[in-house]
Each structure stands twice: as C-alpha cells, then as structure tokens.
C-alpha cells in the first residue's frame, strides 16, 4: 500500500529538485497531459530517471494519482526494494513471465484505472542501450483493448539514458527533453494500433534536441 505522506516528501525534497534543478528537463506541450484519470501515459525507456520525470510532470497535487507499471521480478526482489517500490514510487508490479493460466498479469493495471488513476507504461519492457529505442511489446495493446475509452498519451524522452544509463549509479548532467504527443486512439486492429503508437513516438523523437557529437556517434 502506498504511504502517501512519505511519497509526497520523497518527491518534493529529492525527486523534483533533481529533475527540475539538476537535470533541468525541458518539457514540450505539457498541456497535452491528462488532467485526471483514468489515463494511460506511454513512453520510451532508457533510465530509472524516466519514471521519476514522468511522475514529476503531474506536480505534487496529482502525485497520488500516478502509478508506473514495473517488472515484479526486478522491483520486488528483496524486502526493502519491495517496500520502496510499492510504498514510495507507487509501482504496479507486473509479472513478465506468466506462471499460471489462472493469474491475470494485468489485474493491477485494471484496478488502478478503475480507481481513476494515471498509469505509466514502458512498452519496451526493460531499459535498453542509451537513446536506442527498442520495438514496443504488445502488452500495451492488451491494456488498451480492455480500456478502449481511456485516453492514451504518448511521450518521448531524450537524454535521460545518458544522464543515468542502465547499470550506472552516478548522475551525469546532460540535455534532457520530454515531448508529449497527441492522444492515440484504440484501434481494434492490434497491428494498426501498435503502428500508430510507434509512429507517434517516432514523430516526437524528430523534434528532440540532439548535439552534433551524438549524431556523429550514430553515423560513424
């Protein structure tokens, strides 16, 4: 169960100063964020900072509404991390491997949306190489099919994978941007829905500020 008081203090005193002052994330089209739940926020994933930045977008007044989906096998691997992930970050743990046909891996997401919360999804599954987007997995389509009327907002994050890449514990100052796109409607054709979602994220990525040396890395 979420400890709202400790969660509020953690985000107010630690997360927001890091996101707003140390990293200085530039947010584009913040007016496109859902004002209330139920809602889905779908983003690319390169860093633990991704979750913190996305939760911070909603401010302290809506903090209690925001719930990121996270892998149970990683975030519930010991007692302390389980408490921190559930009580402070407010994750919805999801099993990446189906262990029983009688268990619904998306039950937690359904319940969260049923409470009018804002659920954050990372369809790539796990953090990959810095600033390299992997093909989205179709779990997001299963959720959208169950909740076709819930608005889905795409978000592209840039730079956070270099500011705190996978496997690193030291924060590196870097240009970081957050681009919020227009809502992607559910399409009963799953392949068409996935195409539209990936295309929306790809279009947002074209607007990202990219230093010349980063482009050089891609080309050489």
């Amino acid at each position: 169960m979420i400890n709202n008081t400790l969660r509020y203090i953690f985000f107010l005193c630690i997360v927001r100063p890091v996101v707003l002052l140390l990293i200085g994330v530039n947010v584009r089209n913040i007016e496109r964020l859902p004002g209330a739940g139920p809602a889905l926020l779908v983003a690319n994933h390169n860093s633990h900072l991704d979750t913190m930045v996305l939760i911070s977008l909603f401010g302290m007044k809506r903090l209690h509404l925001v719930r990121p989906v996270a892998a149970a096998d990683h975030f519930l691997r010991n007692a302390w991390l389980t408490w921190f992930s559930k009580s402070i970050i407010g994750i919805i743990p999801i099993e990446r491997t189906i262990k029983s046909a009688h268990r619904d891996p998306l039950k937690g997401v359904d319940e969260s949306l049923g409470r009018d919360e804002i659920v954050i999804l990372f369809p790539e599954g796990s953090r990959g190489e810095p600033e390299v987007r992997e093909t989205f997995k179709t779990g997001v389509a299963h959720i959208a099919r169950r909740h076709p009327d819930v608005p889905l907002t795409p978000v592209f994050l840039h730079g956070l994978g270099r500011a705190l890449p996978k496997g690193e514990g030291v924060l590196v100052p870097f240009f970081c941007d957050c681009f919020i796109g227009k809502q992607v409607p559910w399409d009963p054709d799953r392949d068409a829905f996935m195409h539209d979602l990936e295309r929306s994220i790809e279009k947002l990525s074209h607007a990202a500020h990219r230093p010349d040396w980063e482009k050089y890395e891609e080309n050489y």
Side-chain angles (χ1 to χ4, degrees), residues 94-110:
I94 190 168
E95 294 180 359
R96 291 188 285 193
T97 302
I98 305 300
K99 298 178 180 178
S100 169
H102 301 291
R103 299 182 64 174
D104 181 1
L106 302 181
K107 181 181 177 183
V109 176
D110 292 342

Side-chain angles (χ1 to χ4, degrees), residues 8 10 13 16 24 41 54 56-57 65 74 82 85 88 96 108 115 118 126 130 137 144 153 155 161 169 175 180 215:
Y8 188 92
F10 176 71
C13 299
R16 287 180 65 81
L41 208 67
L54 292 176
S56 297
L57 293 179
L65 294 176
H74 181 75
T82 296
S85 300
I88 305 303
R96 291 188 285 193
R115 293 190 295 267
I118 299 167
S126 62
K137 295 179 172 57
T153 302
V155 179
F175 293 107
I180 302 167
K215 298 174 185 175

Side-chain angles (χ1 to χ4, degrees), residues 196-210:
D196 290 346
L197 178 58
E198 296 223 39
R199 185 167 175 267
S200 69
I201 297 281
E202 193 64 31
K203 286 177 65 177
L204 292 171
S205 74
H206 294 160
H209 168 74
R210 305 173 72 193

